[in-house]
Every structure is written in C-alpha cells, then in structure tokens.
C-alpha cells in the first residue's frame, strides 16, 4: 500500500510541475493575445507590464507548484522506504494539496470577478476600463486546445491521486 501511495504522490508531483511548464511554454503567446485584446478595447497594452501582470511562469507561479512537487516527491520516497513518518506526512500534505487544488479550481471558476476586483484595487484608471471577460478569453484561447484537457486531467490526478494516497496509507 505504501508503494501505491508513493506512485500517487509522484503523479500529483508531476501534475503540479505541469502548471509552470505549460505557462512557460505558452505564456508569451497568451500575453500577446491579451495585449491584442487590450488594443481592441483601446487600452494601452503596456499597462500590463506597468502593473506587473504576467501570463508566464515567473515568481510564485513556478515556486509554489515546484515546492508542492518537491514535498510530494520527498513523501513518496518516505513511503517507498517504509518510514514511519510517511503516514502522518501523507495525511497532512495530501490533505493540504486537495485544499490548495480546490482553491486553484475556485480561482479559475471565478477568474473574471477576481481579476475585475484586482484591477480596481490596483488603482490604475486604465485597468478599470478593461473588459475582463474578453481579455481573459483572448489569453485562454491562445493556449492550445489540449491545455484544457490537460487541466481537467491534472485536477483529476491531484484530487484522485491524493485521495488514493490517503486511503493507501490508511490501509497500510
């Protein structure tokens, strides 16, 4: 059962690493599409850069998923080694991963409202003129179609893999 938990944790780690990889590869294209949409809306595209709004995998958008992947990989190694510490760490971190991924899914589902709120908070009058829904849609449409399927697969792996890992260590 520890091996099953470890395999699930490694799949969860891979799922989290996929986030910055996709954003790194296609973020510049998404940014260009978002800037084109801003021009269509008669909003200066430079406003994104001025307000440090990015579509790539810089900063916490790489650090957070890579950190999660590293922790899950370390716990998988503990499970493979049969370490006593593996079970409580699996319970703690697999539960946290489920919660974090829930927040990510919620954030994606409420992106338009969140971005509108964030733009208002920035206090830049040009940002408040942005029609956020078409702006975000332009960026999303710049990603290849398979990215949407990859997102569903990633969420399934994270939620399902974490649940299986928790069940496996409970039965071990």
């Amino acid at each position: 059962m520890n091996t099953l938990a470890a395999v699930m944790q490694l799949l969860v780690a891979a799922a989290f690493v996929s986030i910055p990889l996709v954003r790194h590869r296609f973020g510049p294209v998404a940014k260009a599409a978002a800037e084109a949409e801003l021009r269509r809306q008669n909003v200066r595209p430079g406003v994104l850069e001025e307000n440090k709004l990015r579509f790539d995998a810089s900063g916490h958008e790489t650090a957070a998923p890579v950190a999660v992947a590293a922790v899950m990989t370390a716990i998988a190694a503990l499970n493979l080694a049969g370490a006593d510490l593996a079970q409580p760490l699996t319970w703690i971190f697999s539960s946290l991963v489920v919660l974090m991924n829930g927040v990510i899914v919620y954030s994606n589902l409420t992106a338009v409202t969140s971005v509108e709120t964030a733009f208002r908070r920035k206090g830049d009058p040009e940002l408040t003129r942005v029609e956020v829904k078409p702006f975000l849609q332009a960026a999303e449409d710049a990603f290849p179609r398979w990215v949407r399927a990859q997102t569903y697969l990633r969420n399934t792996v994270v939620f399902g893999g974490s649940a299986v890992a928790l069940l496996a260590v409970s039965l071990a």
Side-chain angles (χ1 to χ4, degrees):
M1 286 301 197
N2 285 359
T3 301
L4 177 59
V7 168
M8 293 298 109
Q9 290 163 331
L10 291 172
L11 287 173
V12 168
F16 268 88
V17 168
S18 74
I19 299 168
L21 290 176
V22 167
R23 287 186 66 118
H24 174 74
R25 170 66 179 89
F26 299 106
V29 177
K31 178 183 177 193
E35 288 175 340
E37 175 58 24
L38 289 178
R39 280 190 288 281
R40 187 195 69 74
Q41 295 181 23
N42 293 318
V43 175
R44 200 172 37 81
V47 74
L48 293 179
E49 206 63 43
E50 291 164 10
N51 285 281
K52 297 177 177 49
L53 301 169
R54 309 178 64 113
F55 290 91
D56 62 6
S58 62
H60 77 280
E61 304 216 345
T62 292
V66 168
V68 169
V71 168
M72 296 312 290
T73 300
I75 298 169
L78 291 172
N79 269 308
L80 287 173
D84 291 337
L85 198 53
Q87 183 178 17
L89 290 177
T90 294
W91 270 101
I92 292 166
F93 287 100
S94 289
S95 298
L96 285 173
V97 162
V98 167
L99 291 172
M100 285 187 303
N101 205 60
V103 169
I104 291 168
V105 169
Y106 178 78
S107 170
N108 289 340
L109 293 173
T110 62
V112 171
T113 305
S114 319
V115 171
E116 287 171 344
T117 301
F119 280 7
R120 280 193 304 276
R121 283 189 191 143
K122 287 279 187 182
D124 187 322
E126 199 150 13
L127 278 179
T128 60
R129 293 187 312 115
V130 174
E131 294 174 48
V132 172
K133 189 171 184 175
F135 167 74
L136 291 178
Q137 191 64 53
E140 183 179 326
D141 290 348
F143 286 91
R145 288 186 180 182
W146 61 262
V147 171
R148 183 175 290 281
Q150 182 261 353
T151 300
Y152 291 128
L153 178 62
R154 180 183 57 76
N155 287 325
T156 301
V157 166
V158 170
F159 288 128
S162 296
V164 170
L166 289 166
L167 181 62
V169 297
S170 296
L171 298 174

